[in-house]
Amino acid sequence: MKILVCISHVPDTTSKINFVESDTKFDVQGVQFVINPNDEFGLTRAMWLKENQGALVDVINVGLQTSESTLRKALAIGADRAIRINAEPTDGYFVAKQIAEFVKENPYDLIIAGRESIDYNGAMVPGLIAGFLDIDYVTNCTKLDIENGKVILDREIDGGKETLSGSLPLIIGGQKGLVEENDLRIPNMRGIMQARQKPLDTLEPFNFSPNTSTLKFHKPEPKQAVKLIDADNLDELINLLQNEAKVL
Amino acid sequence: MAVITYIESSNGKIKKSGFELASYASELAKQMNSSAIAVTINCSNIKEIGKYGIEKVLKINNDLLNEFNAKLYSDVIVQASNNFDCNRIVLSSSSDSKYLAPLVAAKLEASYLNNVISLPSNLNPLTVKRTAFTNKAFSDCCSSSAKIIIGLSNNSFGLVENSVSVIEEDFKVNLVNSNLSVKSTEKSSGKVSIADADIVVSAGRGMKGPENWNLIEDLANTLGAATACSKPVSDMGWRPHSEHVGQTGKPVATNLYIAIGISGAIQHLAGINSSKIKVVINNDPEAPFFKAADYGIVGDAFEVVPKLNEKLKEFKLQNS
Ligand SMILES: Cc1cc2nc3c(=O)[nH]c(=O)nc-3n(C[C@H](O)[C@H](O)[C@H](O)COP(=O)(O)OP(=O)(O)OC[C@H]3O[C@@H](n4cnc5c(N)ncnc54)[C@H](O)[C@@H]3O)c2cc1C
């Protein structure tokens, strides 16, 4: 089985979100970049499939040289080969087009991406790839089992979950649940050493343009100070919720 | 060049978010001097959409569509928008609509702008305000594509009443059965989901253990609210993963979010920040949640929550 895991290189969840160049660009100063958490669950599931059922696992990122540290981390976790398509990941459409073109030439049985990147929250890369290539697709995927080419998946839905069955080839948008938090892997010394020997191939981008652009970023308005209500005066809270906030 | 929107239903009835979506689509159509068409699938109470300015409703009844299937549902939307020459497509932020949106975008070679929170500030190029960095920021984004899909954030636009009489039209679709099939569905019955709830009661590690969640559920029942939790609570198995809210869990954009025994870590706040009113109950006055909340009570949840529940029950009795 050949698995491709799409890796987005995103600011760590604790990052301060600031903008530069007249609020047109995200300020990367002092920001730590990590594997997108949703992708990390997928990568770990791919490692499980590799170790238990035999698979070759490639990771791919559309990004500039700065994302190589993130790809090296994926290799240290256990991926066999990394591919970087050398272009600024301007929007989800552009990223998906690049990956879809790559996959046309290099088919995979299973493509795993995250349900969304935690930076721009586009939530479209795996779905667009599926649409471009006409491959079956399941997102918000919280469970993935493969047996003799048959796939059983759970999808989180509003208010519950749904169990689906399908077959390969398949694309999923993964999230927490694919593996448990405790099963996420931190690269060890041996993995980090091995990663240095593994191929990290850089490809030039295919000729597509993004179809959206960001004109300006804004930060939220500063919040008004909290109104503290005495724990012995809960009637006051109810009164405020009813008459001031009008939510009761 | 009309606007088309897919109005979701559940058990044959339009979902609450459907009326907000209808309002947005018809206001957008007004802006464009055009009209709005709604797609409905196996839905019965169609007339009600007319209250929110939609003049034409397509009725699609097909047994292949009895269960949600993203591929088939996206085919329906693609065929309807092609048939009526629509180049603006408005979709909700439910998990089903977010699932099918990129499939529609790929088929129509359309741009997909999701997490949109307002009508366009400009029609050419279409420019909208969206949330980014999981609600830690906003962005103005534009697209010049011929076809554009707008994914409207839940509870960001509200309802705009504008009664019109609805023309219903049966619309036939050509569908090829999909490889993927639903084996089973588990839904917490009788409970509102986090996505559809007006009020969410959420609790964290401060509740000390799963055995204490009856306090949270009682309060939620009184308020007709959905229950949610912080990430460690679901990681420890105190509550199901489906209740985990925050940057790596479900997003919450409700009218009232009540946080009990939750410290207010940045990843938690990111996911719930677009809720309109936030109330925090925490025994530590230094908890970061107090900086993000509208109303706060410094106190022990084990004392405050049962008392609040009793008071709210009285309140509900008097106001029912
Ligand atoms: C990559 C990443 C992603 C993450 N994503 C998320 C996410 O999506 N959602 C999320 O929630 N977290 C997320 N987290 C975790 C987050 O950083 C916090 O650890 C978590 O939100 C804390 O949960 P908590 O508030 O329940 O627990 P704690 O931080 O332990 O807070 C418990 C609170 O309860 C209060 N308390 C204790 N006893 C009482 C009492 N008797 N009465 C009243 N109050 C009491 C305490 O004062 C404290 O403020 C993420 C972390 C990382 C690293």
Side-chain angles (χ1 to χ4, degrees), chain A residues 13 93 115 119 121 136-137 155-156 158 161 163 165 176 181 211 213 215-216 218 223 227 229 244, chain B residues 99 109 133-134 138 140 142 179 181 183-184 186 231 234-235 244 249-250 267 292 294-296:
Chain A
T13 54
Y93 187 86
R115 68 156 196 222
D119 48 3
N121 316 116
D136 289 335
Y137 166 56
R155 173 173 82 98
E156 195 169 279
D158 294 336
K161 71 170 183 194
T163 302
S165 82
K176 191 177 93 166
E181 185 82 16
N211 66 10
S213 52
L215 304 173
K216 206 174 175 57
H218 310 268
K223 191 147 181 62
K227 273 195 188 164
I229 295 126
E244 186 178 78
Chain B
Y99 182 7
E109 290 280 313
F133 295 92
T134 327
F138 302 100
D140 296 329
C142 72
N179 251 334
S181 60
K183 292 286 150 217
S184 62
E186 268 176 45
K231 176 165 172 285
S234 73
D235 286 345
H244 161 201
K250 278 202 167 64
Q267 300 95 347
D294 301 282
Y295 303 106

Side-chain angles (χ1 to χ4, degrees), chain B residues 205 208 230-231 244-248 261 263 267-268 282 300-301:
Chain B
R205 207 141 58 173
K208 310 260 186 310
S230 68
K231 176 165 172 285
H244 161 201
V245 297
Q247 189 161 14
T248 53
S263 57
Q267 300 95 347
H268 185 88
N282 197 306
D300 185 343

Side-chain angles (χ1 to χ4, degrees), chain B:
Chain B
M1 140 144 176
V3 177
I4 198 163
T5 180
Y6 162 49
I7 303 286
E8 288 162 283
S9 49
S10 146
N11 300 323
K13 292 269 181 300
I14 296 166
K15 293 213 298 193
K16 204 190 90 206
S17 61
F19 299 116
E20 179 178 36
L21 209 62
S23 304
Y24 185 94
S26 53
E27 290 300 306
L28 173 64
K30 237 193 249 169
Q31 237 186 17
M32 295 163 51
N33 289 323
S34 164
S35 60
I37 303 172
V39 172
T40 63
I41 297 176
N42 298 339
C43 174
S44 56
N45 59 336
I46 282 167
K47 289 259 175 323
E48 292 178 32
I49 311 179
K51 203 166 150 195
Y52 303 96
I54 301 261
E55 283 161 35
K56 174 140 100 183
V57 179
L58 305 181
K59 292 199 302 189
I60 294 126
N61 290 296
N62 188 314
D63 285 343
L64 282 178
L65 302 171
N66 284 346
E67 239 149 21
F68 176 79
N69 178 297
K71 171 79 176 52
L72 299 182
Y73 276 50
S74 68
D75 286 344
V76 169
I77 297 168
V78 167
Q79 288 173 27
S81 61
N82 282 340
N83 191 73
F84 294 94
D85 204 11
C86 301
N87 48 14
R88 298 290 177 264
I89 300 161
V90 181
L91 297 176
S92 86
S93 57
S94 73
S95 48
D96 288 353
S97 282
K98 279 179 122 170
Y99 182 7
L100 62 79
L103 298 176
V104 177
K107 283 283 158 331
L108 296 176
E109 290 280 313
S111 293
Y112 173 37
L113 294 162
N114 72 348
N115 301 326
V116 169
I117 55 171
S118 66
L119 282 171
S121 58
N122 192 355
L123 285 174
N124 196 9
L126 185 104
T127 308
V128 284
K129 194 170 185 193
R130 311 166 60 195
T131 59
F133 295 92
T134 327
N135 297 313
K136 291 175 200 161
F138 302 100
S139 63
D140 296 329
C141 286
C142 72
S143 167
S144 315
S145 300
K147 295 185 177 168
I148 300 172
I149 302 173
I150 293 177
L152 181 67
S153 271
N154 200 4
N155 219 1
S156 63
F157 186 68
L159 299 176
V160 182
E161 287 195 24
N162 171 22
S163 275
V164 293
S165 62
V166 175
I167 304 164
E168 296 180 27
E169 190 173 316
D170 287 312
F171 184 70
K172 290 268 167 296
V173 285
N174 295 316
L175 299 172
V176 186
N177 212 344
S178 145
N179 251 334
L180 282 165
S181 60
V182 176
K183 292 286 150 217
S184 62
T185 307
E186 268 176 45
K187 266 197 167 176
S188 18
S189 58
K191 266 181 67 177
V192 275
S193 71
I194 293 171
D196 298 325
D198 286 326
I199 303 179
V200 172
V201 176
S202 187
R205 207 141 58 173
M207 289 310 293
K208 310 260 186 310
E211 65 282 4
N212 298 322
W213 243 263
N214 59 324
L215 299 180
I216 303 304
E217 293 196 322
D218 289 349
L219 181 61
N221 278 341
T222 305
L223 289 167
T227 49
C229 69
S230 68
K231 176 165 172 285
V233 164
S234 73
D235 286 345
M236 292 182 292
W238 294 2
R239 299 297 289 177
H241 283 312
S242 54
E243 285 197 5
H244 161 201
V245 297
Q247 189 161 14
T248 53
K250 278 202 167 64
V252 185
T254 183
N255 285 336
L256 173 59
Y257 184 79
I258 304 180
I260 302 164
I262 297 178
S263 57
I266 186 167
Q267 300 95 347
H268 185 88
L269 295 177
I272 61 96
N273 238 340
S274 38
S275 296
K276 300 229 158 74
I277 298 291
K278 282 148 268 181
V279 174
V280 54
I281 301 171
N282 197 306
N283 61 3
D284 174 8
E286 301 296 322
F289 213 120
F290 284 103
K291 293 211 170 64
D294 301 282
Y295 303 106
I297 292 179
V298 179
D300 185 343
F302 293 89
E303 288 166 22
V304 174
V305 173
K307 262 205 266 172
L308 180 62
N309 187 31
E310 288 311 311
K311 298 254 181 212
L312 280 167
K313 272 193 197 153
E314 271 171 45
F315 170 84
K316 289 273 167 186
L317 270 180
Q318 283 162 15
N319 290 273
S320 63

